[in-house]
């Protein structure tokens, strides 16, 4: 794989990890299986995800105003959806840490950050708890990348 192809793959990892629902959870393992070194794939995927969530947290008021205007324009006075009710229950039971850990499994980190801010979390706390969940993932990737023995699924080739 040439340098241009590798840079193109890194750019693709960055872009896909910044998109809600693809995120780093899905993109990084696929990149490693595709033969991209694990540590750079993890770092680039993580950065792509962090930047977009950080932008969401910075511009949360504008996003909330946009959502409210959109609802008003559509004249949707319907009841709160199932996902919102689930998020509200998680918030009441576990607070921001619980929502930040469980939420991304169902709706992704972007929507979890939005819900955390909408339900009363501060920007600083939402950012902190939103990316605390990466600690176990960091450990696994860095430990995995430092192993000398190559896993069987790689056919013995260097995927790191």
């Amino acid at each position: 794989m040439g340098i241009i192809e590798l840079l193109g793959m890194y750019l693709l990892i960055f872009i896909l990890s910044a998109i809600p629902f693809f995120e780093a959870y899905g993109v990084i393992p696929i990149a490693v299986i595709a033969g991209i070194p694990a540590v750079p794939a993890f770092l680039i995927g993580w950065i792509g995800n962090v930047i977009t969530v950080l932008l969401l947290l910075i511009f949360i008021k504008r996003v909330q105003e946009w959502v409210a205007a959109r609802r008003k324009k559509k004249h949707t006075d319907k009841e709160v959806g199932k996902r919102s009710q689930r998020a509200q229950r998680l918030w009441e039971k576990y607070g921001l840490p619980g929502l930040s850990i469980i939420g991304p499994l169902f709706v992704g980190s972007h929507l979890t950050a939005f819900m955390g801010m909408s339900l009363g979390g501060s920007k600083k706390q939402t950012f902190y708890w939103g990316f605390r969940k990466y600690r176990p993932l960091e450990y696994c990737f860095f430990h995995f990348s430092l192993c000398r023995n190559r896993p069987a699924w790689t056919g013995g080739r260097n995927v790191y």
Side-chain angles (χ1 to χ4, degrees):
M1 185 179 303
I3 187 97
I4 300 297
E5 292 172 346
L6 191 60
L7 289 175
M9 293 297 280
Y10 287 155
L11 181 63
L12 185 64
I13 292 168
F14 180 82
I15 291 169
L16 288 177
S17 66
I19 297 173
F21 301 113
F22 282 113
E23 299 192 20
Y25 285 129
V27 175
I28 294 170
I30 292 170
V32 171
I33 290 170
I36 304 297
V39 174
F42 172 78
L43 291 174
I44 291 169
W46 185 78
I47 290 169
N49 192 256
V50 167
I51 287 174
T52 54
V53 172
L54 188 59
L55 288 173
L56 175 70
L57 292 176
I58 290 170
F59 297 109
I60 189 72
K61 292 293 181 199
R62 290 185 183 165
V63 172
Q64 287 174 333
E65 290 169 1
W66 175 76
V67 169
R70 190 168 162 233
R71 283 187 183 156
K72 188 175 181 180
K73 185 177 178 181
K74 286 185 173 184
H75 302 293
T76 55
D77 293 331
K78 64 180 182 179
E79 294 182 21
V80 179
K82 288 182 182 179
R83 287 184 176 175
S84 297
Q85 290 175 349
R86 185 181 303 145
Q88 184 68 37
R89 282 193 309 267
L90 280 172
W91 182 265
E92 291 169 0
K93 192 170 185 178
Y94 301 110
L96 185 58
L99 180 66
S100 297
I101 292 169
I102 298 170
L105 299 174
F106 298 105
V107 295
S109 57
H110 299 85
L111 291 175
T112 301
F114 181 76
M115 286 186 287
M117 291 292 297
S118 298
L119 293 171
S122 72
K123 290 180 183 181
K124 187 176 181 180
Q125 289 175 331
T126 303
F127 183 76
Y128 173 76
W129 281 104
F131 292 100
R132 185 139 177 91
K133 66 183 173 284
Y134 282 105
R135 289 287 177 214
L137 193 61
E138 283 176 29
Y139 175 76
C140 291
F141 270 106
F142 286 111
H143 178 71
F144 190 58
S145 67
L146 297 175
C147 293
R148 290 187 201 183
N149 299 329
R150 305 293 179 229
W153 57 268
T154 66
R157 65 187 167 94
N158 185 0
V159 295
Y160 312 114

